[in-house]
Each structure stands twice: as C-alpha cells, then as structure tokens.
Amino acid sequence: MLNTIWAVMILTAVMYGAFTGRMSDVTNAALDSAGEAISLCITMAGVVALWMGLMEIAQRAGIIEKLTRGISPFLTLMFPRIPKGHPAREYIATNIIANVLGLGWACTPAGLKAMEALAKLEAERGNAGYLAGQDGSGAKNRYASNEMCTFLILNISSLQLIPVNMIAYRNQYGSSNPTAIIAPAIAATLFSTLVAILYCKWKDRGRKAW
Amino acid sequence: MRALANLSDIVIPMLIFFIVGYGYVSKVKVYETFLKGAKDGLNIVVDIVPTLIGLLVAVGMLRACGFFDMLGRVLAPVTGLMGLPVQLFPLLAVKLFSSSAATGLVLDIFKTAGPDSYAGLLTSILMSCTETVFYTMSVYFLAAKVTKTRYTLAGALLSTLAGTVASVILAGRMV
C-alpha cells in the first residue's frame, strides 16, 4: 500500500515541479525534509521513551492486567455470544487496553490472535458462511462473523486516550500548549467509539448465532 | 471548553503520579523499570526514523513543487463552503490507507499553519480519534482468512465520519 502512495507522491512532485519550473525548490525541500525528520525524531524520542517507561511500571505493577480484567463487562456487552473463558475474549481485551494506552507494539499481535481465535470460534460453531470456502475451492469467499465485524469497527473507531505522538509533534513545531488537545481528543474518540458501538449493536440485533 | 482545557492540563501529571505511586506501593523497582521501558521506547523511535525520512521528503517535495497550492485552489470552493481548512481533505483520504503517510501531511500542516491554528488543532484532534481503515481491515481479516467483510467497512467509515465531525466542532471551540 505504502509503496504505491510513496511512489505517486515522489513522482508527482518531480513531474509537477518540472511543469511549474520549481525544480530548485523541490531539491531544497528533499534535502531539508530529510534533516527535519531527524530533529523531529529527537524530540519524539524523549516523549515516547517517557511514556514507555511509565507503561513498563504500569505493567510490572499489574495495572495493565487489572484493566484487561476490568473491561470484562464491556466485552460481555459487545460480544454476548463469545463463551466466557474462550481465548478470543482474552485477546480482544488485551488488544483494546493496548489501544487505549497507545501501546502500538502490543495492539497488533493481540489483535491478530483475536481474529484467529474468532475464526476458530466460527469453525467450532460450524458456521456455513465462514466454512463455505474450505472445501475444494480453497479459502475463497469466507464471510466475517458478527464478532469480527464488531471487533474491527471498535478497533478502527480509535480507542487511544492519550495521543502521545501528536503531543510530541505539536511540541516540536512550537505549540504554546502541546497537551491542550488531550481532553478534546478524548471527547472526539469517545464520540466516534460510541457511534461505532451503537452501529454494531444495531447490526447485531436479534441474532442468535450467525 | 474551560473544563476540557483544565482536564487537558492535569491528565499527564495525574497519570504519572498514579502510575509511579501505585508501582512504588506495589513494591516495583520503579526507577529501574522506568529505565527499561524508556530504552524500549527509544528503540521504537529508532525503528521509525527511516519511515519518517521517506515520508517527510515526499511531502516536502509535494509542497515545494506547488502541488498543494494547486490542490488548495481546486478544492477552495468546496472547503470554503464548509469553512474547513483545505489541507483536511488530502489528510483524511491518506489517513484511510496509511498512518505514517498521514503523519507526513500533519507535520506539513503544523509547519505551515502552526500547531495552535485552527487547522493545526483540527488536525491534532482528528489524528487522535481516527484509525487507518483499509490497512487495519486488510491485515486483520487476512489473519482470519476472511474475504467477505460484510458491514465492517460501513461501520468503520461511519465512526471515522463521527470522529471528523466531533473534531471540527471541538477545534472550532478551541480557537
């Protein structure tokens, strides 16, 4: 994906620059931006290291584990048909908490495990829509279960509470109050997540098994 | 908005106080643990340095060649009508596919308009409440070997739209 985006950006810039006669500007921009990326990373390194240090303490002290267990009622609300004690629940909980705390490195592995566990759940249920592709024709046209849709929509609705990177960028570009956006960001995130929850519950209404 | 502004000021100190305090009381070696986590954090940043160089160069070149100005003029009638900054549309479009490419555009907005301008505040909030729809969907569904994603895309786009509307309203009240 990024291959295409990046190539289109670079090629457009050079062709459009040649067309508008701004090749020397393009040259300078390429060289300056490369240097700028480094100074940005130096600012970011401090903020990210601070955050990750705090999170390491939170993990050792058992705070993250407590939070993961604490959202159990929320999981029951969103995924009423995943049996209690099914591994999918645990992975989903870990993914959600990692998202909330902005632990990017922990989100994706747990999220992928959750999807695999949800796939297994569909196989256990003998869901015709999900199993359809398994025989003969290979893994074509497998349908997502309601749980998968809900999990992904929640995930994409953004759950992060403290936008650590955004604060670091604002700091680097001379904001007078880099953290001023925390509360509005939390409000906007809660709103988009609320919309996601309502949409999923509406789509999932009255279903027993898929 | 005053309450929100006050909340913004106290979130970070309160979090630090709570985490360090809780850790100390639970007999975690807080300082040594902090150092280990901080080191991991540095490694994460080192890993993204090449990405940032690649994307900042691409966005910087696009700005310098006059492409963004041209895009701004083309989009001006639409954005002017809604009172939104021109930069918002390319940003929203790119963010659907790639978070790091969107970061390049965000930094360009911070540099040209300033992080405390309306465009800068809107961008900050918007990036904090949206995710890369297509990237996340393709990676996660690949893990479950699913090809028919049913209503996932509709729900994801709906929540992204909700986040965008909320960002526009909140940023408008902050300026």
Side-chain angles (χ1 to χ4, degrees):
Chain A
M1 186 98 60
L2 210 45
N3 278 319
T4 316
I5 297 179
W6 197 67
V8 168
M9 287 167 93
I10 297 273
L11 300 180
T12 309
V14 174
M15 285 191 295
Y16 197 79
F19 176 67
T20 52
R22 295 206 201 173
M23 285 307 246
S24 65
D25 294 337
V26 174
T27 310
N28 288 336
L31 299 176
D32 290 349
S33 303
E36 204 184 310
I38 297 296
S39 48
L40 176 69
C41 286
I42 290 172
T43 312
M44 248 184 87
V47 179
V48 173
L50 168 65
W51 186 252
M52 298 303 288
L54 289 170
M55 285 301 133
E56 187 77 25
I57 299 178
Q59 192 174 2
R60 291 274 176 91
I63 297 177
I64 293 182
E65 204 189 316
K66 274 216 178 73
L67 287 174
T68 308
R69 276 204 304 273
I71 60 165
S72 185
F74 175 71
L75 289 188
T76 310
L77 168 76
M78 293 311 295
F79 306 95
R81 291 184 309 276
I82 300 181
K84 285 239 166 80
H86 195 279
R89 268 180 76 107
E90 197 181 309
Y91 290 130
I92 292 175
T94 310
N95 172 272
I96 288 179
I97 291 300
N99 255 316
V100 169
L101 298 175
L103 303 170
W105 49 270
C107 297
T108 314
L112 298 183
K113 288 271 184 203
M115 289 303 278
E116 284 167 15
L118 287 175
K120 238 178 238 153
L121 183 64
E122 287 317 295
E124 286 161 19
R125 283 172 176 171
N127 176 344
Y130 183 76
L131 296 172
Q134 271 189 339
D135 42 34
S137 60
K140 271 180 189 165
N141 294 331
R142 280 191 175 177
Y143 285 82
S145 64
N146 280 18
E147 281 83 5
M148 292 179 192
C149 295
T150 303
F151 175 55
L152 264 184
I153 294 172
L154 273 185
N155 210 302
I156 291 172
S157 79
S158 171
L159 305 158
Q160 185 176 5
L161 277 190
I162 312 287
V164 183
N165 288 351
M166 221 31 76
I167 293 169
Y169 300 149
R170 291 171 56 78
N171 192 20
Q172 168 75 11
Y173 285 94
S175 168
S176 60
N177 189 355
T179 55
I181 54 140
I182 293 181
I186 292 176
T189 300
L190 287 180
F191 180 65
S192 70
T193 304
L194 182 69
V195 169
I197 290 173
L198 292 176
Y199 180 81
C200 292
K201 290 311 281 180
W202 175 65
K203 276 293 191 182
D204 196 40
R205 71 195 179 282
R207 298 271 175 94
K208 289 247 159 49
W210 191 77
Chain B
M1 277 325 275
R2 265 214 82 102
L4 278 190
N6 289 335
L7 183 63
S8 294
D9 288 339
I10 62 169
V11 168
I12 300 267
M14 294 293 281
L15 259 181
I16 296 179
F17 181 86
F18 174 75
I19 292 173
V20 176
Y22 190 99
Y24 189 76
V25 172
S26 338
K27 299 204 167 60
V28 173
K29 287 181 179 160
V30 279
Y31 185 62
E32 285 158 38
T33 310
F34 175 82
L35 295 187
K36 185 190 170 295
K39 195 165 183 186
D40 291 344
L42 285 183
N43 286 333
I44 293 176
V45 176
V46 169
D47 283 344
I48 65 166
V49 172
T51 315
L52 265 184
I53 296 177
L55 290 160
L56 281 189
V57 166
V59 173
M61 286 168 69
L62 268 180
R63 159 146 313 282
C65 74
F67 183 78
F68 283 160
D69 299 336
M70 188 272 287
L71 208 61
R73 279 195 302 276
V74 172
L75 289 174
V78 188
T79 53
L81 215 61
M82 291 186 272
L84 297 174
V86 172
Q87 304 97 314
L88 187 68
F89 290 86
L91 181 64
L92 266 177
V94 169
K95 174 80 193 204
L96 294 178
F97 295 94
S98 157
S99 176
S100 43
T103 301
L105 293 176
V106 168
L107 299 175
D108 187 64
I109 293 172
F110 284 175
K111 194 163 44 168
T112 50
D116 295 329
S117 66
Y118 174 59
L121 288 168
L122 174 55
T123 309
S124 310
I125 302 173
L126 186 65
M127 287 299 108
S128 311
C129 73
T130 50
E131 275 285 346
T132 42
V133 176
F134 293 105
Y135 173 78
T136 310
M137 275 181 65
S138 57
V139 172
Y140 278 41
F141 275 128
L142 193 67
K145 301 191 181 64
V146 162
T147 47
K148 299 286 179 189
T149 61
R150 299 175 60 221
Y151 57 84
T152 310
L153 182 60
L157 290 177
L158 182 71
S159 98
T160 302
L161 179 70
T164 308
V165 171
S167 308
V168 168
I169 293 171
L170 287 165
R173 287 170 163 257
M174 285 179 77
V175 188

